[in-house]
C-alpha cells in the first residue's frame, strides 16, 4: 500500500479529526514560508525580529511595511487544492477541526469553517499600547496609522514573545486531545506552543499523519509521513477516502 493509502486507511476509521497547518500549506498559493529566504527588500531581515513587539517598537514603519507588503500579496493569491481538499474532507467526519499557525485566512477562503487561528489574522488590527480594536487599515500606507488614543495601530497577529489570544490555545488543545487522527500539514514544527499539539494528540491516543516536503521533529513519531507537496497529496488522500467510503456503502 502507498502512504496515501495508509493515510486514507487511518482517516476512514476516524470519527474525530484535527489538523495543524503551517506556512507550507500556503506555499503553493504563492505565499513564501518563514523558512524560505526572505525575498527582495526583506532579504536582510529576520522574520522573528520583524514579527515582535521590540521589532515594532524599534522601527514601526519597517514592520508596518513588511505586513503591508504581505497583505498586498495576499490580495492577489487564492487558496490552493490543499486548502480545498481539507474543506471538503471536513464533511466526511463527525468532527473536523482546522488549527492553523497561518495568518493568511486561506483556509476560510477555501470554505473551512470554525478555523482556529492560533496566531491571529493579518487583516485585523488593534492599537499597540492599549489593544483598542481598530478598523482594517487601507493598503499602501507607508507608516502605521494612529489609534484615537494616540498609539500606533498594529496587525492583530501574535508576535514572538506574545501570548496567544485568550482561550484559543485551549480550544486547539481540546481538539487535539479528542482527535482519533491528527493531520499535520506544512509546518516545520519549531514554533511553540503550536508545535506541542502533535505530541499532545499522540499522547491522547491519536494517530498522526504528517504531510511535508521534508522531515521535521514531528516525523519521528508520525504514524504516516507523506513527503510531498500538500497541494498534491491532500487531494489524493481526499480521493482515496471517498473511494473507500463509497466501497463500504
Ligand atoms: C509564546 C504570526 C509566551 C506573525 C507567528 C524566547 C523569547 C520569547 C519567546 C520564545 C523564546 N524562545 C522560544 C520562545 C517561544 C516562541 C518560539 O516558539 N520560538 C521559536 C522560534 C523557538 N514562541 C512564541 O513566542 C509564542 N508565544 O511563547 O508566548 C508567552 C505566554 C504568555 C504571555 C507572554 C508570552 C508566539 C509564537 C507566534 C509567533 N507568530 N506568526 C506573522 O505571521 O507575522 S509564528 C510564524 O512562524 C508562523 O505563524 C508559524 O507559526 C511560524 C512558521 O512556522 P511554519 O508555519 O512551520 O512555517 P515554516 O516556514 O517554519 O515551515 C514551513 C514548512 O512547510 C517547512 O517544513 C517546509 O518543508 C514545508 N513546506 C514548504 N512547502 C510545502 C511544505 N509542506 C507541504 N507542501 C508544500 N508545498
Amino acid at each position: 500500500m502507498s502512504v496515501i493509502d495508509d493515510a486514507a486507511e487511518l482517516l476512514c476509521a476516524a470519527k474525530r479529526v484535527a489538523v495543524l497547518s503551517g506556512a507550507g500549506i500556503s506555499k503553493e498559493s504563492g505565499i513564501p514560508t518563514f523558512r524560505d529566504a526572505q525575498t527582495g527588500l526583506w532579504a536582510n531581515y529576520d522574520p522573528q525580529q520583524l514579527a515582535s513587539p521590540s521589532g515594532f517598537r524599534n522601527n514601526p514603519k519597517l514592520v508596518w511595511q513588511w505586513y503591508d507588503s504581505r497583505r498586498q500579496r495576499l490580495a492577489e493569491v487564492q487558496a490552493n487544492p490543499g486548502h480545498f481538499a481539507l474543506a471538503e474532507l471536513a464533511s466526511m467526519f463527525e468532527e473536523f477541526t482546522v488549527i492553523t499557525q497561518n495568518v493568511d485566512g486561506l483556509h476560510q477562503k477555501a470554505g473551512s469553517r470554525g478555523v482556529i487561528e492560533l496566531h491571529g489574522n493579518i487583516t485585523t488590527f488593534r492599537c499597540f499600547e492599549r489593544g483598542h480594536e481598530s478598523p482594517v487599515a487601507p493598503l499602501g500606507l507607508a507608516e502605521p496609522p494612529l489609534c484615537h488614543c494616540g498609539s500606533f495601530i498594529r496587525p492583530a497577529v501574535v508576535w514572538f514573545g506574545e501570548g496567544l489570544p485568550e482561550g484559543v490555545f485551549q480550544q486547539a488543545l481540546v481538539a487535539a486531545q479528542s482527535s482519533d487522527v491528527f493531520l499535520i500539514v506544512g509546518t516545520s514544527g519549531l514554533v511553540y506552543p503550536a508545535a506541542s499539539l502533535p505530541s499532545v494528540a499522540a499522547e491522547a491516543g491519536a494517530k498522526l499523519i504528517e504531510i511535508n516536503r521534508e522531515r521535521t521533529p514531528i516525523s519521528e513519531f508520525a504514524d504516516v509521513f507523506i513527503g510531498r507537496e500538500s497541494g498534491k497529496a491532500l487531494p489524493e488522500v481526499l480521493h482515496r477516502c471517498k473511494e473507500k467510503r463509497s466501497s463500504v456503502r
Side-chain angles (χ1 to χ4, degrees):
M1 283 219 291
S2 75
V3 285
I4 299 285
D5 291 324
D6 294 342
E9 193 86 10
L10 289 180
L11 276 168
C12 283
K15 287 193 172 58
R16 289 179 300 280
V17 177
V19 183
L20 174 66
S21 70
I25 197 169
S26 296
K27 178 76 184 279
E28 290 156 270
S29 291
I31 297 185
T33 69
F34 274 66
R35 294 305 126 204
D36 291 333
Q38 291 281 346
T39 49
L41 172 66
W42 312 110
N44 313 319
Y45 298 98
D46 169 4
Q48 285 182 52
Q49 280 311 309
L50 294 175
S52 71
S54 55
F56 185 75
R57 215 175 274 118
N58 296 339
N59 194 334
K61 269 181 78 165
L62 178 71
V63 174
W64 181 266
Q65 288 171 12
W66 184 51
Y67 279 94
D68 188 66
S69 71
R70 289 171 63 187
R71 234 181 359 132
Q72 304 233 21
R73 179 192 288 259
L74 193 54
E76 292 146 20
V77 305
Q78 302 300 325
N80 68 59
H83 296 108
F84 287 110
L86 286 182
E88 197 174 335
L89 266 172
S91 58
M92 299 169 73
F93 300 93
E94 264 175 42
E95 281 176 36
F96 192 95
T97 309
V98 175
I99 304 159
T100 190
Q101 300 171 84
N102 301 337
V103 295
D104 58 31
L106 290 182
H107 284 296
Q108 295 91 320
K109 277 191 179 169
S112 287
R113 286 195 298 283
V115 176
I116 299 174
E117 293 182 309
L118 295 177
H119 299 153
N121 188 304
I122 200 170
T123 60
T124 57
F125 298 85
R126 61 177 166 81
C127 92
F128 183 64
E129 297 299 341
R130 294 178 182 73
H132 294 137
E133 288 260 320
S134 92
V136 176
L139 282 173
L141 297 181
E143 52 191 43
L146 292 182
C147 175
H148 53 76
C149 71
S151 163
F152 282 128
I153 298 289
R154 53 163 283 179
V157 296
V158 179
W159 279 335
F160 288 99
E162 293 187 320
L164 274 56
E166 189 63 37
V168 167
F169 192 64
Q170 191 50 36
Q171 271 185 291
L173 274 176
V174 169
Q177 286 164 332
S178 59
S179 64
D180 306 314
V181 167
F182 195 76
L183 179 57
I184 306 109
V185 187
T187 181
S188 56
L190 299 174
V191 174
Y192 285 82
S196 64
L197 291 168
S199 50
V200 163
E203 278 150 32
K207 293 288 186 194
L208 265 51
I209 300 168
E210 183 185 26
I211 299 178
N212 196 315
R213 291 184 326 189
E214 63 189 16
R215 288 194 175 270
T216 70
I218 299 161
S219 312
E220 310 292 313
F221 53 98
D223 297 278
V224 177
F225 174 77
I226 302 174
R228 294 180 49 207
E229 276 78 9
S230 49
K232 298 176 183 62
L234 280 168
E236 287 183 27
V237 170
L238 169 67
H239 177 70
R240 192 76 83 258
C241 278
K242 284 174 162 178
E243 279 180 338
K244 285 180 178 299
R245 285 284 167 95
S246 57
S247 64
V248 165
R249 281 204 192 99

